[in-house]
Amino acid sequence: MACQCNNEECFIELDKFIEERNLTGESSLIQVLHQAQHLFGYLPRNLQVYVAKKLNIPIAKVYGVVTFYTFFSETPRGENVIQVCLGTGCFVKGADKVMLSFESELEIKQGETTADNQFTLSAVRCVGACGLAPVVIINEKVYGHVQSEDVKGILENYIVGEITTQTA
Amino acid sequence: MKINSITELRKLHTEKLPLLALRQAEAHVGKERVIMVCGGTGCHSASSKELLEELQKEIKAQGVSELVEAKATGCFGFCAEGPIIRIFPDDVFYIKVQPSDANRIIKDHIIGGSPIDDLLFLEPTINEKVKTMHEMSFYKKQMRIALRNCGIIDPENIDEYIAAKGYLALAQVLEQNKPEAVSQLLIDSGLRGRGGAGFPTGLKWEATRKAKGDVKYVICNADEGDPGAFMDRSLLEGDPHSVLEALAIAGFCIGSDTGFIYIRAEYPLAIHRLEVAIAQAKEAGLLGENILGTGFNFDIKIKYGAGAFVCGEETALMRSIEGSRGEPFNKKVFPSESGLWQKPTCTNNVETLANIPVIFLNGADWYNKIGTERSKGTKVFALGGKIKNVGLVEVPMGTTLREIIFEIGGGIPNDRQFKAAQTGGPSGGVIAAEFLDTPIEYESLIEIGSMMGSGGMIVLDEDNCMVNIAKFYLEFTCEESCGKCTPCRIGTTRLLEILDKITKGKGTLKDLETLNDLSNVIKDASLCGLGKTAPNPVLSTLKYFNDEYMAHVVDKKCPAGVCKDLLQVTITDKCIGCTKCARICPVQCIDGKVKEQHIIDQDKCIKCQACIAACPVQAITTI
């Protein structure tokens, strides 16, 4: 999730991260991108250009790496990130149906974010909690033994939760 | 506190032994107790952290802090019954413990001295509640070597690892000071790579040791990407120091002063435990410069993956550490000659490394006697899918699938029939019921069309469609193919398209032929292991479950009732004519008069099954 500070502070923090560790060149790129995504929430084009200049490597190289790894995102993510485990253990117990259920409830496809920026729906491959299959993780909370009919109820927690925080 | 010499380390080990005394005592010795709470991912997700906090709170509140301590430990393996706690020295094993049980555990068990019956495991073979794990059939056939410290020690406490003979193997190797003896001992032990391919570890070390170069690297491959596999994660979370120790031994053997651990960014808990362990080892002088005063320098850095399955492949992993796209390269020259930054590099999997310290402590002969002629030692499997006892199991090589699935795993739930076991993840294949008595070895699994793989074992029952399973794996490999070589990039896409066609009822007999031919081309022509093994799920399902493919293609039916497009929803004569189904149908394809049997127009039906849910008398079924 994106940090709450304004962009400038994020850039200062990123600089600090790079300078403190004396990071330079290609070999530090993935580490720096991890930190950049952690600070900004995603990796927009201007940030990629910034990282390229900072590490003294071609912009194309940075772009190539960002687009290769699924962990890096070029688009902002929603307030709540839903991860549906599609590991084999969950899949054989009906995780695909759970995913379909989320897709139809939120009216988005896997990998997309809702128009109101509330939810991002993504798939993960095995979180290692096969004893609880099928597993869904929303933000940090883990839901075990999820069936497609539970999806609506789970989502309601977050919609209600959001209203409460807004009024508070 | 820095440990300056081998003698100091041995002394420290003796001093720290009492830390584990309660956990190693065989009989009840006194009133003191220790409660070990599982802190593995499975139990963690099922609120074991809250449970630990609650137990610690209750210990204080009930005034027994002098008597008892509650600690987190690594995975016990019995994930299906989590959260799990084990109380020493009386060795009582509690399952499905909730934070709300903390009060009575302290009050009734710790103070009152009587175990709580309803938290005990009901052993199905004797239909009785049992107190210890040794009485449970889940554990009876297991042998814990790699997982030896999981569930025993606190992974975030280096003193406990030292008490459990930690770093003594490194000390022994440094004292002997003969790198060639290190690789020779591993060759003699018969240890083979646990990442899946099964290359003899000692030979790999020997080759890298002999390679010319002043700079060499050792890498721990912790990019566990197989969906359904979580062995490495549990090991790193439960016993991180054993991996660090093994890496240092590898460094000494091949002549390297730098090790890397390449780990998935999706494993935050394992990363945290590794960071803690590395910091502790550095502080203790067990990593860094002049280790134990012997002049040996060795440092370990963590490198994070970023969600690319192909990076589990050795050469792609090296590219990723270098900061590039994780694309594999041709192994014309072995990485032992030219790997990371073109320097001699030795890469080992987490589980392989976890075995190493104990092999040095107990000797090659000890290890060599475990397992079979061709495969030595034990293997950890992540048992999942349609099986009662989902969890992490470690068994000696040569154990049969039947023993793992039906004795340790407890069989298939809900009285369903076993259909197949899938091993090796997207690179492996399915194993049909006729091979249940095959002893597990690297070669025997390949002979029956699957492979050992990293250790995922997913059990499938009669409700799983084999064509759909093959499609599931192909979706995975297709998405994860890095795109560098054509056979893998285009080939897996084409395979997936054909499988999709078959599951939609549009497949032809010619398609089955194409699947087979194309699979063999991809196997032969792909650059790296990902492509070379990607067609395995297709080939093995085609071979052993050909009848299911035929049913999809010829009869246009899915025998397991999974492929939605092939289902036929029909109304049986149980229908009471209540019209509920006709009213709920979104495409108005159900017709019928009140109090008469209704009929579904199959041409219009979209198979949404809303009618099935609406029917009050279960008169609507799928065939």
mmCIF file of all heavy atoms in Angstrom, chain A residues 26-27 30 34 61 64-65 68-71 86-88 91-93 125-127 130-132 142, chain B residues 41 227-228 230 233 264 303 305-307 320 322-326 385-386 390 460 472-473 476:
data_model
loop_
_atom_site.group_PDB
_atom_site.id
_atom_site.type_symbol
_atom_site.label_atom_id
_atom_site.label_comp_id
_atom_site.label_asym_id
_atom_site.label_seq_id
_atom_site.Cartn_x
_atom_site.Cartn_y
_atom_site.Cartn_z
ATOM 1 N N GLU A 26 23.564 -2.224 -11.702
ATOM 2 C CA GLU A 26 22.534 -3.211 -11.973
ATOM 3 C C GLU A 26 22.217 -4.149 -10.807
ATOM 4 O O GLU A 26 21.067 -4.467 -10.564
ATOM 5 C CB GLU A 26 23.046 -4.065 -13.133
ATOM 6 C CG GLU A 26 22.103 -4.159 -14.277
ATOM 7 C CD GLU A 26 22.752 -4.968 -15.382
ATOM 8 O OE1 GLU A 26 23.451 -4.361 -16.195
ATOM 9 O OE2 GLU A 26 22.551 -6.200 -15.399
ATOM 10 N N SER A 27 23.264 -4.569 -10.095
ATOM 11 C CA SER A 27 23.038 -5.622 -9.099
ATOM 12 C C SER A 27 22.116 -5.171 -7.965
ATOM 13 O O SER A 27 21.535 -5.996 -7.278
ATOM 14 C CB SER A 27 24.364 -6.132 -8.549
ATOM 15 O OG SER A 27 25.026 -5.091 -7.897
ATOM 16 N N ILE A 30 16.952 -4.658 -8.290
ATOM 17 C CA ILE A 30 15.733 -5.296 -7.774
ATOM 18 C C ILE A 30 15.469 -4.878 -6.329
ATOM 19 O O ILE A 30 14.337 -4.585 -5.947
ATOM 20 C CB ILE A 30 15.818 -6.832 -7.945
ATOM 21 C CG1 ILE A 30 15.782 -7.167 -9.444
ATOM 22 C CG2 ILE A 30 14.673 -7.542 -7.221
ATOM 23 C CD1 ILE A 30 15.943 -8.621 -9.796
ATOM 24 N N HIS A 34 12.138 -2.898 -5.048
ATOM 25 C CA HIS A 34 11.314 -3.381 -3.931
ATOM 26 C C HIS A 34 11.024 -2.237 -2.963
ATOM 27 O O HIS A 34 9.889 -2.024 -2.548
ATOM 28 C CB HIS A 34 12.038 -4.495 -3.168
ATOM 29 C CG HIS A 34 11.716 -5.869 -3.665
ATOM 30 N ND1 HIS A 34 10.466 -6.418 -3.547
ATOM 31 C CD2 HIS A 34 12.473 -6.809 -4.275
ATOM 32 C CE1 HIS A 34 10.476 -7.646 -4.063
ATOM 33 N NE2 HIS A 34 11.681 -7.906 -4.519
ATOM 34 N N LYS A 61 16.557 -0.857 -19.172
ATOM 35 C CA LYS A 61 16.921 -1.957 -18.274
ATOM 36 C C LYS A 61 15.927 -2.009 -17.094
ATOM 37 O O LYS A 61 15.415 -3.070 -16.734
ATOM 38 C CB LYS A 61 18.346 -1.686 -17.770
ATOM 39 C CG LYS A 61 18.847 -2.664 -16.776
ATOM 40 C CD LYS A 61 19.579 -3.773 -17.474
ATOM 41 C CE LYS A 61 19.560 -4.989 -16.590
ATOM 42 N NZ LYS A 61 20.109 -6.139 -17.249
ATOM 43 N N GLY A 64 12.584 -3.098 -18.335
ATOM 44 C CA GLY A 64 12.638 -4.532 -18.625
ATOM 45 C C GLY A 64 12.450 -5.360 -17.373
ATOM 46 O O GLY A 64 11.718 -6.350 -17.367
ATOM 47 N N VAL A 65 13.093 -4.951 -16.296
ATOM 48 C CA VAL A 65 12.997 -5.696 -15.042
ATOM 49 C C VAL A 65 11.610 -5.534 -14.414
ATOM 50 O O VAL A 65 10.990 -6.497 -13.971
ATOM 51 C CB VAL A 65 14.129 -5.265 -14.076
ATOM 52 C CG1 VAL A 65 13.881 -5.792 -12.673
ATOM 53 C CG2 VAL A 65 15.479 -5.766 -14.588
ATOM 54 N N PHE A 68 9.114 -7.653 -16.152
ATOM 55 C CA PHE A 68 9.369 -9.102 -16.116
ATOM 56 C C PHE A 68 8.781 -9.747 -14.863
ATOM 57 O O PHE A 68 8.206 -10.830 -14.916
ATOM 58 C CB PHE A 68 10.878 -9.363 -16.167
ATOM 59 C CG PHE A 68 11.232 -10.830 -16.215
ATOM 60 C CD1 PHE A 68 11.223 -11.517 -17.414
ATOM 61 C CD2 PHE A 68 11.553 -11.522 -15.056
ATOM 62 C CE1 PHE A 68 11.535 -12.870 -17.463
ATOM 63 C CE2 PHE A 68 11.873 -12.874 -15.099
ATOM 64 C CZ PHE A 68 11.862 -13.553 -16.303
ATOM 65 N N TYR A 69 8.929 -9.068 -13.738
ATOM 66 C CA TYR A 69 8.538 -9.673 -12.463
ATOM 67 C C TYR A 69 7.117 -9.267 -12.070
ATOM 68 O O TYR A 69 6.796 -8.082 -12.023
ATOM 69 C CB TYR A 69 9.524 -9.255 -11.365
ATOM 70 C CG TYR A 69 10.914 -9.779 -11.582
ATOM 71 C CD1 TYR A 69 11.896 -8.993 -12.173
ATOM 72 C CD2 TYR A 69 11.243 -11.074 -11.213
ATOM 73 C CE1 TYR A 69 13.183 -9.488 -12.377
ATOM 74 C CE2 TYR A 69 12.522 -11.571 -11.418
ATOM 75 C CZ TYR A 69 13.488 -10.775 -11.999
ATOM 76 O OH TYR A 69 14.747 -11.273 -12.205
ATOM 77 N N THR A 70 6.298 -10.269 -11.761
ATOM 78 C CA THR A 70 4.898 -9.967 -11.465
ATOM 79 C C THR A 70 4.714 -9.205 -10.159
ATOM 80 O O THR A 70 3.683 -8.594 -9.940
ATOM 81 C CB THR A 70 4.060 -11.255 -11.390
ATOM 82 O OG1 THR A 70 4.728 -12.153 -10.513
ATOM 83 C CG2 THR A 70 3.890 -11.893 -12.733
ATOM 84 N N PHE A 71 5.716 -9.263 -9.295
ATOM 85 C CA PHE A 71 5.591 -8.568 -8.006
ATOM 86 C C PHE A 71 5.549 -7.053 -8.212
ATOM 87 O O PHE A 71 4.950 -6.329 -7.424
ATOM 88 C CB PHE A 71 6.779 -8.945 -7.113
ATOM 89 C CG PHE A 71 6.599 -8.608 -5.677
ATOM 90 C CD1 PHE A 71 5.901 -9.458 -4.836
ATOM 91 C CD2 PHE A 71 7.122 -7.438 -5.150
ATOM 92 C CE1 PHE A 71 5.724 -9.156 -3.498
ATOM 93 C CE2 PHE A 71 6.954 -7.130 -3.807
ATOM 94 C CZ PHE A 71 6.252 -7.987 -2.976
ATOM 95 N N LEU A 86 -4.153 -19.538 -5.611
ATOM 96 C CA LEU A 86 -4.469 -20.492 -6.670
ATOM 97 C C LEU A 86 -3.393 -21.581 -6.747
ATOM 98 O O LEU A 86 -3.103 -22.120 -7.805
ATOM 99 C CB LEU A 86 -4.612 -19.781 -8.018
ATOM 100 C CG LEU A 86 -5.864 -18.924 -8.222
ATOM 101 C CD1 LEU A 86 -5.934 -18.402 -9.639
ATOM 102 C CD2 LEU A 86 -7.148 -19.689 -7.914
ATOM 103 N N GLY A 87 -2.782 -21.866 -5.609
ATOM 104 C CA GLY A 87 -1.859 -23.002 -5.541
ATOM 105 C C GLY A 87 -2.658 -24.278 -5.754
ATOM 106 O O GLY A 87 -3.892 -24.280 -5.635
ATOM 107 N N THR A 88 -1.963 -25.361 -6.049
ATOM 108 C CA THR A 88 -2.674 -26.590 -6.400
ATOM 109 C C THR A 88 -3.578 -27.090 -5.275
ATOM 110 O O THR A 88 -4.694 -27.526 -5.508
ATOM 111 C CB THR A 88 -1.672 -27.700 -6.762
ATOM 112 O OG1 THR A 88 -0.574 -27.104 -7.416
ATOM 113 C CG2 THR A 88 -2.310 -28.723 -7.650
ATOM 114 N N PHE A 91 -6.550 -25.025 -5.381
ATOM 115 C CA PHE A 91 -7.264 -25.201 -6.650
ATOM 116 C C PHE A 91 -8.136 -26.455 -6.640
ATOM 117 O O PHE A 91 -9.300 -26.407 -7.012
ATOM 118 C CB PHE A 91 -6.272 -25.263 -7.816
ATOM 119 C CG PHE A 91 -6.920 -25.482 -9.149
ATOM 120 C CD1 PHE A 91 -7.535 -24.439 -9.823
ATOM 121 C CD2 PHE A 91 -6.946 -26.744 -9.725
ATOM 122 C CE1 PHE A 91 -8.144 -24.640 -11.044
ATOM 123 C CE2 PHE A 91 -7.560 -26.958 -10.953
ATOM 124 C CZ PHE A 91 -8.157 -25.900 -11.616
ATOM 125 N N VAL A 92 -7.557 -27.579 -6.168
ATOM 126 C CA VAL A 92 -8.343 -28.814 -6.203
ATOM 127 C C VAL A 92 -9.491 -28.776 -5.195
ATOM 128 O O VAL A 92 -10.378 -29.604 -5.230
ATOM 129 C CB VAL A 92 -7.497 -30.099 -5.996
ATOM 130 C CG1 VAL A 92 -6.432 -30.219 -7.064
ATOM 131 C CG2 VAL A 92 -6.869 -30.158 -4.618
ATOM 132 N N LYS A 93 -9.453 -27.805 -4.302
ATOM 133 C CA LYS A 93 -10.567 -27.680 -3.366
ATOM 134 C C LYS A 93 -11.495 -26.528 -3.739
ATOM 135 O O LYS A 93 -12.257 -26.023 -2.916
ATOM 136 C CB LYS A 93 -10.025 -27.508 -1.950
ATOM 137 C CG LYS A 93 -9.442 -28.813 -1.397
ATOM 138 C CD LYS A 93 -9.119 -28.683 0.059
ATOM 139 C CE LYS A 93 -8.714 -30.034 0.630
ATOM 140 N NZ LYS A 93 -8.263 -29.902 2.021
ATOM 141 N N ARG A 125 0.279 -17.781 -5.828
ATOM 142 C CA ARG A 125 0.541 -19.215 -5.962
ATOM 143 C C ARG A 125 1.070 -19.729 -4.645
ATOM 144 O O ARG A 125 2.194 -19.466 -4.292
ATOM 145 C CB ARG A 125 1.589 -19.455 -7.044
ATOM 146 C CG ARG A 125 1.217 -18.900 -8.392
ATOM 147 C CD ARG A 125 0.125 -19.711 -9.038
ATOM 148 N NE ARG A 125 -0.118 -19.240 -10.404
ATOM 149 C CZ ARG A 125 -1.008 -19.778 -11.201
ATOM 150 N NH1 ARG A 125 -1.760 -20.766 -10.801
ATOM 151 N NH2 ARG A 125 -1.181 -19.307 -12.408
ATOM 152 N N CYS A 126 0.258 -20.455 -3.952
ATOM 153 C CA CYS A 126 0.627 -21.107 -2.708
ATOM 154 C C CYS A 126 1.212 -20.196 -1.645
ATOM 155 O O CYS A 126 2.318 -19.694 -1.755
ATOM 156 C CB CYS A 126 1.590 -22.270 -2.912
ATOM 157 S SG CYS A 126 1.545 -23.360 -1.474
ATOM 158 N N VAL A 127 0.448 -19.987 -0.600
ATOM 159 C CA VAL A 127 0.954 -19.220 0.530
ATOM 160 C C VAL A 127 1.432 -20.154 1.630
ATOM 161 O O VAL A 127 1.834 -19.729 2.696
ATOM 162 C CB VAL A 127 -0.104 -18.240 1.081
ATOM 163 C CG1 VAL A 127 -0.421 -17.193 0.031
ATOM 164 C CG2 VAL A 127 -1.373 -18.954 1.507
ATOM 165 N N CYS A 130 -1.775 -24.700 3.264
ATOM 166 C CA CYS A 130 -2.625 -25.668 2.574
ATOM 167 C C CYS A 130 -3.613 -26.353 3.519
ATOM 168 O O CYS A 130 -4.620 -26.887 3.084
ATOM 169 C CB CYS A 130 -1.772 -26.706 1.862
ATOM 170 S SG CYS A 130 -0.548 -25.966 0.766
ATOM 171 N N GLY A 131 -3.311 -26.334 4.811
ATOM 172 C CA GLY A 131 -4.226 -26.917 5.786
ATOM 173 C C GLY A 131 -5.534 -26.146 5.857
ATOM 174 O O GLY A 131 -6.528 -26.632 6.363
ATOM 175 N N LEU A 132 -5.502 -24.898 5.369
ATOM 176 C CA LEU A 132 -6.694 -24.046 5.444
ATOM 177 C C LEU A 132 -7.344 -23.872 4.075
ATOM 178 O O LEU A 132 -8.198 -23.024 3.889
ATOM 179 C CB LEU A 132 -6.315 -22.663 5.980
ATOM 180 C CG LEU A 132 -5.666 -22.587 7.363
ATOM 181 C CD1 LEU A 132 -5.168 -21.172 7.633
ATOM 182 C CD2 LEU A 132 -6.667 -22.970 8.433
ATOM 183 N N VAL A 142 -5.884 -13.518 7.047
ATOM 184 C CA VAL A 142 -6.005 -14.763 6.303
ATOM 185 C C VAL A 142 -7.387 -15.380 6.542
ATOM 186 O O VAL A 142 -7.813 -15.521 7.684
ATOM 187 C CB VAL A 142 -4.933 -15.765 6.762
ATOM 188 C CG1 VAL A 142 -5.049 -17.074 5.992
ATOM 189 C CG2 VAL A 142 -3.544 -15.181 6.596
ATOM 190 N N THR B 41 3.659 -21.204 9.013
ATOM 191 C CA THR B 41 2.684 -20.377 8.294
ATOM 192 C C THR B 41 1.245 -20.849 8.475
ATOM 193 O O THR B 41 0.343 -20.046 8.664
ATOM 194 C CB THR B 41 3.021 -20.356 6.801
ATOM 195 O OG1 THR B 41 4.357 -19.913 6.697
ATOM 196 C CG2 THR B 41 2.128 -19.414 6.057
ATOM 197 N N PRO B 227 3.357 -24.323 -6.992
ATOM 198 C CA PRO B 227 2.126 -24.117 -6.247
ATOM 199 C C PRO B 227 1.803 -25.383 -5.448
ATOM 200 O O PRO B 227 1.772 -26.473 -6.018
ATOM 201 C CB PRO B 227 1.089 -23.852 -7.335
ATOM 202 C CG PRO B 227 1.658 -24.451 -8.565
ATOM 203 C CD PRO B 227 3.148 -24.410 -8.434
ATOM 204 N N GLY B 228 1.621 -25.279 -4.177
ATOM 205 C CA GLY B 228 1.304 -26.465 -3.379
ATOM 206 C C GLY B 228 2.507 -27.022 -2.660
ATOM 207 O O GLY B 228 2.443 -28.108 -2.102
ATOM 208 N N PHE B 230 5.499 -26.157 0.284
ATOM 209 C CA PHE B 230 5.914 -25.177 1.294
ATOM 210 C C PHE B 230 6.944 -25.759 2.258
ATOM 211 O O PHE B 230 7.008 -25.374 3.420
ATOM 212 C CB PHE B 230 4.709 -24.607 2.041
ATOM 213 C CG PHE B 230 3.799 -25.633 2.661
ATOM 214 C CD1 PHE B 230 3.919 -25.962 4.008
ATOM 215 C CD2 PHE B 230 2.815 -26.254 1.921
ATOM 216 C CE1 PHE B 230 3.088 -26.911 4.577
ATOM 217 C CE2 PHE B 230 1.977 -27.207 2.481
ATOM 218 C CZ PHE B 230 2.115 -27.531 3.814
ATOM 219 N N ARG B 233 9.912 -23.134 2.858
ATOM 220 C CA ARG B 233 9.417 -22.062 3.693
ATOM 221 C C ARG B 233 9.382 -22.491 5.158
ATOM 222 O O ARG B 233 9.839 -21.778 6.043
ATOM 223 C CB ARG B 233 8.007 -21.709 3.227
ATOM 224 C CG ARG B 233 7.333 -20.791 4.140
ATOM 225 C CD ARG B 233 5.933 -20.446 3.661
ATOM 226 N NE ARG B 233 5.559 -19.209 4.303
ATOM 227 C CZ ARG B 233 4.662 -18.373 3.850
ATOM 228 N NH1 ARG B 233 4.064 -18.605 2.726
ATOM 229 N NH2 ARG B 233 4.378 -17.289 4.490
ATOM 230 N N ARG B 264 11.876 -15.849 -2.129
ATOM 231 C CA ARG B 264 10.664 -15.194 -2.639
ATOM 232 C C ARG B 264 10.255 -14.044 -1.722
ATOM 233 O O ARG B 264 10.216 -14.205 -0.510
ATOM 234 C CB ARG B 264 9.491 -16.182 -2.629
ATOM 235 C CG ARG B 264 9.540 -17.243 -3.656
ATOM 236 C CD ARG B 264 8.346 -18.156 -3.487
ATOM 237 N NE ARG B 264 7.133 -17.561 -4.047
ATOM 238 C CZ ARG B 264 5.918 -18.069 -3.874
ATOM 239 N NH1 ARG B 264 5.746 -19.149 -3.155
ATOM 240 N NH2 ARG B 264 4.871 -17.514 -4.408
ATOM 241 N N LYS B 303 18.903 -12.024 -1.074
ATOM 242 C CA LYS B 303 18.428 -11.375 -2.296
ATOM 243 C C LYS B 303 16.959 -11.765 -2.478
ATOM 244 O O LYS B 303 16.595 -12.937 -2.317
ATOM 245 C CB LYS B 303 19.236 -11.875 -3.504
ATOM 246 C CG LYS B 303 20.620 -11.262 -3.571
ATOM 247 C CD LYS B 303 20.557 -9.880 -4.198
ATOM 248 C CE LYS B 303 21.936 -9.241 -4.306
ATOM 249 N NZ LYS B 303 21.859 -7.893 -4.901
ATOM 250 N N GLY B 305 13.446 -12.347 -4.486
ATOM 251 C CA GLY B 305 12.813 -12.594 -5.768
ATOM 252 C C GLY B 305 11.690 -11.587 -5.931
ATOM 253 O O GLY B 305 11.392 -10.805 -5.032
ATOM 254 N N ALA B 306 11.055 -11.595 -7.097
ATOM 255 C CA ALA B 306 9.978 -10.645 -7.303
ATOM 256 C C ALA B 306 8.839 -11.286 -8.088
ATOM 257 O O ALA B 306 8.243 -10.683 -8.960
ATOM 258 C CB ALA B 306 10.511 -9.396 -8.003
ATOM 259 N N GLY B 307 8.568 -12.544 -7.747
ATOM 260 C CA GLY B 307 7.416 -13.193 -8.346
ATOM 261 C C GLY B 307 7.665 -13.709 -9.750
ATOM 262 O O GLY B 307 6.972 -13.316 -10.683
ATOM 263 N N SER B 320 18.853 -13.126 -12.002
ATOM 264 C CA SER B 320 18.027 -12.296 -11.136
ATOM 265 C C SER B 320 18.866 -11.673 -10.016
ATOM 266 O O SER B 320 18.696 -10.501 -9.684
ATOM 267 C CB SER B 320 16.878 -13.123 -10.563
ATOM 268 O OG SER B 320 16.001 -12.313 -9.838
ATOM 269 N N GLU B 322 21.897 -10.922 -10.282
ATOM 270 C CA GLU B 322 22.702 -9.884 -10.927
ATOM 271 C C GLU B 322 21.890 -8.623 -11.203
ATOM 272 O O GLU B 322 22.439 -7.603 -11.593
ATOM 273 C CB GLU B 322 23.284 -10.430 -12.250
ATOM 274 C CG GLU B 322 24.343 -11.506 -12.027
ATOM 275 C CD GLU B 322 24.693 -12.263 -13.310
ATOM 276 O OE1 GLU B 322 24.161 -11.913 -14.378
ATOM 277 O OE2 GLU B 322 25.488 -13.214 -13.221
ATOM 278 N N GLY B 323 20.572 -8.717 -11.016
ATOM 279 C CA GLY B 323 19.712 -7.545 -11.194
ATOM 280 C C GLY B 323 19.034 -7.468 -12.543
ATOM 281 O O GLY B 323 18.510 -6.438 -12.931
ATOM 282 N N SER B 324 19.048 -8.582 -13.280
ATOM 283 C CA SER B 324 18.444 -8.557 -14.612
ATOM 284 C C SER B 324 17.111 -9.299 -14.633
ATOM 285 O O SER B 324 16.670 -9.814 -13.621
ATOM 286 C CB SER B 324 19.377 -9.230 -15.612
ATOM 287 O OG SER B 324 20.582 -8.534 -15.670
ATOM 288 N N ARG B 325 16.512 -9.343 -15.816
ATOM 289 C CA ARG B 325 15.339 -10.192 -16.010
ATOM 290 C C ARG B 325 15.793 -11.631 -15.793
ATOM 291 O O ARG B 325 16.871 -12.018 -16.216
ATOM 292 C CB ARG B 325 14.809 -10.042 -17.450
ATOM 293 C CG ARG B 325 14.221 -8.692 -17.752
ATOM 294 C CD ARG B 325 14.141 -8.454 -19.244
ATOM 295 N NE ARG B 325 13.112 -9.263 -19.888
ATOM 296 C CZ ARG B 325 11.864 -8.854 -20.100
ATOM 297 N NH1 ARG B 325 11.506 -7.652 -19.720
ATOM 298 N NH2 ARG B 325 10.992 -9.629 -20.690
ATOM 299 N N GLY B 326 14.955 -12.404 -15.113
ATOM 300 C CA GLY B 326 15.350 -13.769 -14.783
ATOM 301 C C GLY B 326 15.213 -14.717 -15.954
ATOM 302 O O GLY B 326 14.364 -15.603 -15.942
ATOM 303 N N GLY B 385 -4.257 -31.163 -0.836
ATOM 304 C CA GLY B 385 -5.349 -31.563 -1.709
ATOM 305 C C GLY B 385 -6.368 -32.399 -0.960
ATOM 306 O O GLY B 385 -6.665 -32.158 0.204
ATOM 307 N N LYS B 386 -6.878 -33.449 -1.642
ATOM 308 C CA LYS B 386 -7.966 -34.247 -1.066
ATOM 309 C C LYS B 386 -7.400 -35.313 -0.132
ATOM 310 O O LYS B 386 -7.392 -36.500 -0.452
ATOM 311 C CB LYS B 386 -8.777 -34.883 -2.185
ATOM 312 C CG LYS B 386 -9.325 -33.893 -3.198
ATOM 313 C CD LYS B 386 -10.466 -33.072 -2.613
ATOM 314 C CE LYS B 386 -11.104 -32.148 -3.638
ATOM 315 N NZ LYS B 386 -11.777 -32.812 -4.733
ATOM 316 N N VAL B 390 -3.634 -32.975 5.969
ATOM 317 C CA VAL B 390 -2.823 -32.034 5.199
ATOM 318 C C VAL B 390 -1.651 -31.611 6.071
ATOM 319 O O VAL B 390 -1.825 -31.356 7.256
ATOM 320 C CB VAL B 390 -3.659 -30.791 4.826
ATOM 321 C CG1 VAL B 390 -2.800 -29.726 4.178
ATOM 322 C CG2 VAL B 390 -4.793 -31.182 3.899
ATOM 323 N N LEU B 460 -5.542 -36.271 -5.445
ATOM 324 C CA LEU B 460 -6.765 -35.968 -6.189
ATOM 325 C C LEU B 460 -7.764 -37.094 -5.993
ATOM 326 O O LEU B 460 -7.380 -38.262 -5.926
ATOM 327 C CB LEU B 460 -6.447 -35.829 -7.679
ATOM 328 C CG LEU B 460 -5.314 -34.857 -8.021
ATOM 329 C CD1 LEU B 460 -4.915 -34.986 -9.479
ATOM 330 C CD2 LEU B 460 -5.725 -33.430 -7.715
ATOM 331 N N PHE B 472 -4.809 -26.669 -15.613
ATOM 332 C CA PHE B 472 -4.384 -25.810 -14.502
ATOM 333 C C PHE B 472 -2.868 -25.610 -14.511
ATOM 334 O O PHE B 472 -2.363 -24.495 -14.398
ATOM 335 C CB PHE B 472 -4.832 -26.430 -13.176
ATOM 336 C CG PHE B 472 -4.157 -25.845 -11.966
ATOM 337 C CD1 PHE B 472 -4.557 -24.615 -11.452
ATOM 338 C CD2 PHE B 472 -3.117 -26.516 -11.337
ATOM 339 C CE1 PHE B 472 -3.926 -24.071 -10.341
ATOM 340 C CE2 PHE B 472 -2.487 -25.979 -10.213
ATOM 341 C CZ PHE B 472 -2.893 -24.759 -9.723
ATOM 342 N N TYR B 473 -2.133 -26.714 -14.669
ATOM 343 C CA TYR B 473 -0.676 -26.602 -14.674
ATOM 344 C C TYR B 473 -0.165 -25.852 -15.894
ATOM 345 O O TYR B 473 0.804 -25.106 -15.829
ATOM 346 C CB TYR B 473 -0.024 -27.977 -14.574
ATOM 347 C CG TYR B 473 -0.035 -28.501 -13.152
ATOM 348 C CD1 TYR B 473 -0.751 -29.618 -12.785
ATOM 349 C CD2 TYR B 473 0.683 -27.825 -12.163
ATOM 350 C CE1 TYR B 473 -0.769 -30.076 -11.484
ATOM 351 C CE2 TYR B 473 0.679 -28.275 -10.853
ATOM 352 C CZ TYR B 473 -0.049 -29.399 -10.518
ATOM 353 O OH TYR B 473 -0.057 -29.836 -9.227
ATOM 354 N N PHE B 476 -0.414 -22.260 -15.562
ATOM 355 C CA PHE B 476 0.687 -21.801 -14.721
ATOM 356 C C PHE B 476 1.975 -21.643 -15.521
ATOM 357 O O PHE B 476 2.590 -20.582 -15.533
ATOM 358 C CB PHE B 476 0.887 -22.781 -13.556
ATOM 359 C CG PHE B 476 1.981 -22.391 -12.610
ATOM 360 C CD1 PHE B 476 1.747 -21.484 -11.598
ATOM 361 C CD2 PHE B 476 3.248 -22.923 -12.749
ATOM 362 C CE1 PHE B 476 2.754 -21.108 -10.722
ATOM 363 C CE2 PHE B 476 4.273 -22.551 -11.877
ATOM 364 C CZ PHE B 476 4.022 -21.643 -10.867
#
